[in-house]
Amino acid sequence: MNTHDIAQRSLWQAWVLQARKNPRVTAGLIAAGVCLLLLLLAGSYRAMTSVDDAAFDYALIGGFAGFGATALGAVAVFGLRSVPIRTQDTMLGFAAGMMLAASSFSLLLPGLEAAQEITGSALLGSATVVVGLGLGVLLMLGLDYFIPHMHQEVGTQGPEYKRLNGVWLFVLAIILHNLPEGMAIGVSFSQGDMKVGLPLTTAIAIQDIPEGLAVALALRAIGMSTGRAFLLAAASGLMEPLGAIVGVGMSSGMALAYPASLGLAAGAMIFVVSHEVIPETHRNGHQTFATIGLMVGFAVMMFLDTALG
């Protein structure tokens, strides 16, 4: 197939061809995706109809805090020509450390505690969170497999859909991992517990700032005006309030849904850190600075969780 044929391929055709490459993988991911989609739809419906008003409000505010932080980072595009690569890698490493610590201290540990209290068994409680963790990984695997995007180290991933250039694929990658962050915020506030929600939302908002700037700089680099680059970079953060609505509803359906949803959000975030963020920070030979940034970010989030939670 020549380049022209690929360029004219519709996204639907690209999905079909991607499915034919690995039919067994595709079948498994579709089955898991259907289950997750039903769960997400049920969560969204419940969030709109019967979630406690305070929990819903907290989740929505937290989601918009993430969106606001993304927009705040994008604002810097008006005053910066560029950011040194080493600084970008260090900042992304810091964000990765905060996400890892948030997944551990603000999602997995409260999830294990809640699950064991509900089931009365350490074994069943742990299994519930592990199942949620696996669902989070399946969610991100499905998105990674079927949505065209770009990893800096290995190039374009997902369907061979060539109408999107590298910068737009990078923007799609950022949008993809804003979804689990928003879901994590919603889940953390689903019980109306500020001790769980506040540290996690703080961590996610802090690490959204360099992401917003990175997207804005990438868009400006392809010739887009500064104002438009800012608007589109800020808009990439809108997945967070949407994800927060889904997360708060999904985790409020029944008692065990809460710890399972905490596990799901943690699994999705850990997947993103390992699959997207860490490889990006190590590709330019600045792995030492990125690792130091990761450790500082982990320590800051651990402190925030202790001080605020």
Side-chain angles (χ1 to χ4, degrees), residues 85-253:
I85 298 298
R86 189 173 72 179
T87 302
Q88 292 184 40
D89 290 341
T90 305
M91 291 169 65
L92 286 175
F94 180 84
M98 295 201 76
M99 291 176 72
L100 286 176
S103 299
S104 301
F105 298 110
S106 296
L107 293 174
L108 290 178
L109 290 182
L112 288 168
E113 183 179 352
Q116 290 175 17
E117 182 177 342
I118 292 168
T119 62
S121 165
L123 179 62
L124 291 176
S126 299
T128 299
V129 177
V130 168
V131 168
L133 193 78
L135 288 174
V137 173
L138 284 175
L139 171 64
M140 297 313 298
L141 280 173
L143 292 174
D144 190 70
Y145 188 75
F146 285 109
I147 303 297
H149 60 289
M150 182 178 70
H151 298 291
Q152 296 289 349
E153 190 68 30
V154 296
T156 303
Q157 299 292 292
E160 294 177 4
Y161 182 62
K162 299 301 185 183
R163 292 178 181 175
L164 297 174
N165 64 28
V167 171
W168 287 108
L169 293 175
F170 167 70
V171 173
L172 271 177
I174 295 293
I175 292 173
L176 282 182
H177 92 253
N178 281 341
L179 174 63
E181 290 177 1
M183 291 174 62
I185 290 172
V187 171
S188 69
F189 281 119
S190 63
Q191 304 299 303
D193 189 354
M194 296 293 287
K195 292 181 180 179
V196 176
L198 187 57
L200 179 68
T201 302
T202 301
I204 289 176
I206 290 174
Q207 62 92 32
D208 278 336
I209 295 174
E211 285 181 5
L213 176 59
V215 173
L217 289 173
L219 292 174
R220 196 175 65 180
I222 62 170
M224 188 175 292
S225 69
T226 301
R228 192 177 175 201
F230 161 73
L231 290 175
L232 289 176
S236 71
L238 286 174
M239 286 301 291
E240 299 211 11
L242 293 175
I245 292 174
V246 172
V248 71
M250 182 179 65
S251 57
S252 303

Side-chain angles (χ1 to χ4, degrees), residues 67-77 209 213 230 234:
F67 164 69
T70 303
L72 178 63
V75 165
V77 76
I209 295 174
L213 176 59
F230 161 73

Side-chain angles (χ1 to χ4, degrees), residues 40-53 55-57 59 242-253:
L40 295 177
L41 290 174
S44 300
Y45 174 77
R46 182 172 176 83
M48 295 298 185
T49 57
S50 55
V51 170
D52 178 74
D53 288 342
F56 182 85
D57 291 343
L242 293 175
I245 292 174
V246 172
V248 71
M250 182 179 65
S251 57
S252 303

